[in-house]
Each structure stands twice: as C-alpha cells, then as structure tokens.
Amino acid sequence: SDRFYFTGSALAGGGSSNFGWDLMGGLGYEMSDHFSAVAGYRALGVDYQDGDFEFDVTIQGPIVGVALKF
C-alpha cells in the first residue's frame, strides 16, 4: 500500500561526552495527509567521563508514536 513507509535516523558525535550515538528504524502508516502512526526500535549509547564519574551505557527498546505534518 502507498500508505506504509520506512523511516529511520542515525546520529553520532562527541560533544561533552567521549562518544555518543543514536540509531532508530521504524515502519509508519499514513492515516491521513497530516497524521501518521510509527512503530520501531531505537538504541542510544553514551560514553561520558568526568573525573571519577563514569557513565558508559546503551539503552534500547521498542518505540511507538504519532507524527504530525503541517
């Protein structure tokens, strides 16, 4: 159907952390010209260190959402 679409994003960089990244992939369904429903999977990783404090984590899981186009 022409109402289904694939969507995704990828980000990587340093900023204040040593390294961070974000990946997302999903399948969308266009309900009307202005509204879509999206379901997919997202993973986010951060490697941050400041003195003795260290935060090195990967968070991942399913996502659902609604998109509004205007």
Side-chain angles (χ1 to χ4, degrees):
S1 166
D2 59 345
R3 293 188 173 269
F4 285 97
Y5 62 92
F6 289 104
T7 186
S9 66
L11 302 169
S16 297
S17 66
N18 295 337
F19 186 69
W21 57 271
D22 186 355
L23 294 172
M24 188 278 294
L27 176 66
Y29 180 75
E30 197 172 88
M31 296 180 284
S32 72
D33 289 341
H34 299 287
F35 291 98
S36 297
V38 180
Y41 198 81
R42 183 175 180 186
L44 169 72
V46 176
D47 180 10
Y48 176 79
Q49 187 170 0
D50 184 16
D52 290 338
F53 177 75
E54 184 175 342
F55 187 70
D56 187 4
V57 66
T58 299
I59 303 166
Q60 56 188 344
I63 59 167
V64 292
V66 176
L68 171 64
K69 291 190 285 185
F70 54 92

